[in-house]
Structures are given as structure tokens and as C-alpha cells.
């Protein structure tokens, strides 16, 4: 079950280009964890040092998972563009892609997996960092307070918190994150990738929930044609349903 | 840290709820260390004009846009609670207008029965959570009280009932207080007498109500002029009206007697 591998390949191509042009670099891990904010923090505009992914400049934020662990470089943080302390403006676009290498995930558990991974993202709350995630369209909007910036907050801190959160899930073996703050154009490219992954995610949710599984009626038919893994998932689900039905009668 | 002061301004139509909500928000925001959230629960969004803040989106707009997108057609089918809450939180942040330490949220059309109830429940949760991040929340509560978000309503700490010198005004205030007592856990309720034209007005109200009078404001020709010209009350010059609201803020809201 590796529905996102083709997207990961596209992402790697893009990343290669960024490194070749000198736009991307690897970030060292943060010196320590950043304090958590109990309730989800709210940073007002007047206290904001830097906004990332404000709807005006664009954002793309999503999680891709794969059972092929060789596709994920554990603990790696890649950044294309300025980090918090390097920003020359008070507003930057934001691209954030989390790659998770997973094990022991069967076809029928795939939709739950995406949900659990997303829940880690939504639940993250760091002091002086307001994070808002639009789950329906893969957007993310951060406000970093002056205080947090002055205390040295870096995207590496966010990465560290994400790594901790993801690793707490039993099936996650490896985690990696890529940030893009360089330009709205680059983030828009990531956004195109995010749309593809969103359609795959939606198709999986639909399959797991629907009884009929009639492909000719389904709006995600094109997605399943593209991603052969999904057809496999469907077969498994149908098989299970049959078994359940037999078990009942 | 204790929770925020959540104050709802209620009363008969036209007694000055919106004017008082705006002036009170302004006065409370004079302390730069405090965060103030003004919520306009009136579909006519008068408070936005009074505070000179833009209404880009209302809570009702959010609800409507999500009802469509949370279906399979909209790509959001089968979403779990965490995902929907995250989405609402994002949209709410987008709907908040801010100027310095004053933020503003418009409710728009109040929720009606039969609209997507799971979404409404989540919206209430998110609004209540957002409100919890401020020091003061001032709700311009339209005429009644039921229309306002119940989840926020449940957390009201201060009920400010506004009346003019009329008997009807104070009877409506008393009825609202009765209803509110049943559904909210407010700890302070007070009656504010507005548009006072005569020295005898306030004593007359006091003599004929069980509610505690916590302040009054005279009929102010400058307020009249601002209203006629559609000017924001943020520009209202120093004078008796602002003084009355500062006194109210000190004695009723901050309880600094
Ligand atoms: N103390 C005052 N002096 C002079 N005019 C006032 C005073 N208070 C309110 N007004 C005026 O009375 C009118 C009604 O005030 P406002 O809109 O604040 O009332 P409201 O209770 O919010 O009304 P509604 O029930 O329609 O929402 C406005 O024209 C306002 O300018
Ligand atoms: Mg009004």
C-alpha cells in the first residue's frame, strides 16, 4: 500500500532542483524542544514578528506517508528560503511537507492512518507560534510573536515538535520535513502536489466509508486509475465485506 | 490565570446596545496590555461600523461555505472532528478583524434550526475557545439573548442590561435577566440607564426594578451627530459619554471599586 509514492518522487525532483539552484539547505536540529502552549495560542497582529502562509501570500501543507522506509530520511529538516530569524519582510509564503515512513499498515487501516497523522499536525501548539491549519484545502498559516522570534524560535523547533509528535504514533518509523518560504511561486508548485494528495486521501476516505464501491458512479475514478494501489485497497475492502457478510449469516 | 471577562450587552431595541458595546470595547482596549474581542451578534453589523472595522467574513459565511465543502462532492467527506475543528479555527482566524489589541468578529445571520448541526456544535466550540484567548469579550447581543452563540453564552460572566427611561425598557431587561439566569452562569448582572434626559430618570428606574443600576449615560448630542454622520465611535471626543463608560468599566467590568 503506497498510494503517495508517485507524489514523493515528484517532490524529490523538485527538491533536487532547489538544491541545485542553491535555494535549499539542510537545517541542523534545534538545540532543545520549544515550550508548548497549553491551549492553542492566539498571536495578535500587533504582537506578530513574522507571518508565514498568510492567505494573501499562499501556503501548502500536507503529510505524505509510505511503507517504503528508504524514501524517508529520518530526522532530516530541509528549508528552501529564509528561516524565522533571517526573514527580511514580516510576511512569507509557507510550504510544509511532512514525510512519514510507516510500517504495519494494512489496506483497511490506510484512511485511519492519514487521519492520525493529520491529527498530530492540528494538535501542535507551540508558545508564541499561532498555527492554523485548513484541513480541507491543505493550507497552513503561522504567526510568530516578537517574543518567540527574539527568543530564537526557528523552523527547526517546529520540525522537532513534529518529529516528537509523529514518533509517538506506534506505526511511524521515520519522519522528515521540508519547508519552503522562498517564494509564492514555489509554494504554489507544492500546492499542486498537495491537491493530488488530497484527492487520493478523499478517495480513500470515501472507499472506507461507502458500501457500494461502484466505480462507475464515483467522482474519484480518475484518481484510482492513476494510483493502482487504491484499486488494491478496494479489492481488499470488498473481500472483507464479503467475509463479514458470511460471518453474519 | 482566570478566564476572560465575557460581557453581553442586552436590552430592548434601540436603547443603545451597539453604541455602548463600541464605547466599552474602546475603553477596555485603552489598556494596551489587555486583549479585547468585540463580537457583533446582530446581522445588521452595526458594531463593525461603530468600531470602524471591516467585515470580510461572518461566522455565518464560514458555516455556509463549509456545509458545501464537507460533503464528498466538496472533497471533504468523511472528515473527523479534529479535521473539522482545525478547519474552523483557520477560517475563524481569517474572519477576525484586528486593530492593535482590539479584535472583532461578526456573527452574521444567527444559526437557525435545521442547519448542519454537527458543524454548528463545532463552531461554538471554536468560538468559545477563541474567546478564551482574550482578556475581555464584549458581545453586542441584539435584542434578545437566545440568538447568541449558546456555548459562549454559557460562559458569560457579566450581563449588562441596557434600558432607557421607559417602563418597557426595564421590563425587557428583567425578562432577559430571567432567561439568562436559566441558561448562563454569569456572576454579575447590572442595569445601565441610557439616554437620560432628566434628573429624575435614574431614580425613577431605580425605584421600579429589582435589578441593580450600575451606571447611566445622558442623552448626548455628540453621539447623535456621530450617528447621523455615520462616524465611528472611536473618534468620539472626550466628554460625558466616555466618562460614563470608563466609570462602568472600572466599577462593573473590572470591579475595581
Ligand atoms: N446616550 C445617547 N445619546 C444620544 N444618542 C444615543 C445615545 N445612546 C444611543 N443613542 C442613539 O440611539 C440610536 C440607537 O442606538 P444603538 O444603535 O446603539 O441601539 P441598539 O440598542 O443597538 O439598537 P438595535 O436594537 O436596533 O440594535 C442610535 O441612533 C444612537 O446613536
Ligand atoms: Mg444594535
Amino acid at each position: 500500500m503506497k498510494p503517495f509514492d508517485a507524489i514523493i518522487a515528484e517532490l524529490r525532483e523538485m527538491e533536487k532542483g532547489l538544491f541545485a539552484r542553491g535555494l535549499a539547505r539542510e537545517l541542523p536540529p534545534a538545540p532543545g524542544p520549544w515550550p508548548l502552549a497549553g491551549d492553542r495560542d492566539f498571536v495578535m497582529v500587533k504582537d506578530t514578528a513574522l507571518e508565514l502562509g498568510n492567505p494573501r501570500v499562499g501556503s501548502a501543507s500536507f503529510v505524505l506517508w509510505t511503507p517504503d522506509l528508504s524514501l524517508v530520511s529520518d530526522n532530516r529538516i530541509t528549508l528552501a528560503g529564509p528561516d524565522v530569524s533571517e526573514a527580511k519582510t514580516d510576511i512569507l509564503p509557507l510550504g510544509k511537507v511532512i514525510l512519514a515512513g510507516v510500517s504495519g499498515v494494512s489496506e483497511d487501516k490506510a484512511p485511519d492512518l492519514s487521519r492520525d497523522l493529520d491529527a498530530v499536525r492540528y494538535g501542535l501548539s507551540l508558545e508564541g507560534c499561532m498555527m492554523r491549519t485548513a484541513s480541507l484545502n491543505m493550507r497552513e498559516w503561522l504567526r510568530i510573536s516578537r517574543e518567540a522570534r527574539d527568543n530564537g524560535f526557528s523552523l527547526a523547533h517546529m520540525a522537532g515538535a513534529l518529529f516528537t509528535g509523529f514518533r509517538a504514533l506506534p506505526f511511524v518509523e521515520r519522519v522528515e520535513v521540508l519547508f519552503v518560504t522562498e517564494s509564492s511561486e514555489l509554494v504554489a508548485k507544492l500546492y499542486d502536489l498537495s491537491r493530488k494528495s488530497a484527492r487520493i486521501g478523499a478517495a480513500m476516505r470515501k472507499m472506507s466509508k461507502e458500501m457500494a464501491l461502484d466505480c462507475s458512479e464515483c467522482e474519484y475514478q480518475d484518481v484510482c486509475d492513476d494510483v493502482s494501489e487504491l484499486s488494491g485497497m478496494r479489492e481488499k475492502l470488498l473481500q472483507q465485506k464479503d467475509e463479514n457478510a458470511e460471518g453474519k449469516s | 490565570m482566570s478566564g476572560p471577562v465575557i460581557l453581553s450587552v442586552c436590552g430592548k431595541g434601540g436603547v443603545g446596545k451597539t453604541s455602548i458595546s463600541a464605547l466599552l470595547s474602546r475603553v477596555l482596549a485603552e489598556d494596551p496590555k489587555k486583549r479585547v474581542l468585540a463580537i457583533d451578534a446582530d446581522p445588521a453589523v452595526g458594531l463593525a461600523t461603530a468600531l470602524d472595522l471591516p467585515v470580510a467574513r461572518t461566522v455565518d459565511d464560514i458555516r455556509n461555505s463549509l456545509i458545501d465543502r464537507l460533503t464528498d462532492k466538496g472533497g471533504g467527506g468523511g472528515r473527523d472532528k479534529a479535521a473539522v475543528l482545525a478547519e474552523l479555527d483557520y477560517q475563524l482566524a481569517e474572519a477576525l478583524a484586528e486593530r492593535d489589541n482590539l479584535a472583532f468578529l461578526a456573527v452574521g445571520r444567527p444559526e437557525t434550526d435545521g442547519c448542519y448541526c454537527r458543524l454548528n456544535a463545532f463552531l461554538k466550540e471554536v468560538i468559545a475557545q477563541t474567546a478564551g484567548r482574550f482578556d475581555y469579550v464584549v458581545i453586542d447581543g441584539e435584542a434578545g439573548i437566545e440568538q447568541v452563540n449558546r456555548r459562549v453564552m454559557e460562559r458569560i460572566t457579566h450581563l449588562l442590561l441596557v434600558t432607557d427611561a421607559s417602563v418597557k425598557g426595564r421590563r425587557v431587561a428583567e425578562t432577559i435577566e430571567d432567561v439568562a439566569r436559566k441558561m448562563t452562569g454569569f456572576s454579575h448582572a447590572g442595569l445601565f440607564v441610557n439616554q437620560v434626559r432628566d434628573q429624575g430618570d435614574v431614580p425613577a428606574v431605580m425605584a421600579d426594578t429589582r435589578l441593580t443600576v450600575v451606571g447611566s449615560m445622558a442623552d448626548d448630542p455628540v453621539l447623535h451627530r456621530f450617528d447621523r454622520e455615520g462616524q465611528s465611535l472611536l473618534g468620539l471626543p472626550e466628554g460625558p459619554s466616555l466618562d460614563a463608560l470608563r466609570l462602568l468599566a472600572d466599577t462593573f467590568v473590572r470591579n475595581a471599586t
Side-chain angles (χ1 to χ4, degrees), chain A residues 39-40 42-46 55 115 122 132-137 139 141 143 202 205 209-210 219-220, chain B residues 32 35 66 69 72-73 75 77-80 82-83 86-87 89-90 93-94 96 98 100-101 129 133-134:
Chain A
D39 195 0
R40 293 223 218 168
F42 187 85
V43 177
M44 293 191 82
V45 173
K46 73 170 177 82
R115 189 199 58 206
Y122 307 149
R132 295 291 180 273
T133 327
S135 61
L136 295 183
N137 56 8
R139 303 285 192 189
W141 177 9
R143 273 187 195 162
R205 280 197 306 279
K209 168 174 86 137
E210 221 143 87
E219 68 268 34
Y220 297 113
Chain B
R35 296 167 155 199
L66 282 185
R69 288 166 59 213
D72 284 331
K73 272 227 162 59
R79 289 293 178 150
D80 65 308
E87 178 69 35
D89 220 16
Y90 180 96
E94 218 181 339
L96 276 185
E98 285 177 50
D100 301 327
N101 53 335
Q129 206 185 46
R133 299 178 188 119
F134 287 81

Side-chain angles (χ1 to χ4, degrees), chain B residues 159-237:
Chain B
L159 190 64
L160 183 65
L161 301 146
V162 182
T163 183
D164 50 18
S166 73
V167 176
K168 174 117 186 276
R170 50 193 187 262
R171 290 293 97 83
V172 170
E174 285 163 0
T175 309
I176 293 173
E177 200 251 7
D178 267 340
V179 175
R181 199 169 280 289
K182 289 186 191 100
M183 58 187 276
T184 84
F186 64 84
S187 48
H188 308 267
L191 186 66
F192 188 87
V193 190
N194 188 26
Q195 293 162 340
V196 173
R197 291 196 173 83
D198 187 283
Q199 272 209 332
D201 282 354
V202 178
V205 172
M206 282 169 116
D208 180 43
T209 183
R210 57 179 169 81
L211 301 169
T212 313
V213 173
V214 292
S216 66
M217 184 159 92
D219 190 65
D220 183 349
V222 188
L223 258 183
H224 266 306
R225 180 167 59 79
F226 267 63
D227 188 59
R228 202 172 51 227
E229 295 167 1
Q231 288 196 56
S232 151
L233 294 186
L234 293 179
L236 188 79

Side-chain angles (χ1 to χ4, degrees), chain B residues 89-123:
Chain B
D89 220 16
Y90 180 96
Q91 301 231 357
L92 206 65
E94 218 181 339
L96 276 185
E98 285 177 50
R99 191 180 42 236
D100 301 327
N101 53 335
L102 176 64
F104 173 79
L105 180 69
V107 171
R109 191 182 54 99
E111 66 196 61
T112 49
D113 286 338
C115 53
Y116 204 73
C117 66
R118 186 173 83 122
L119 190 58
N120 272 329
F122 290 172
L123 252 175

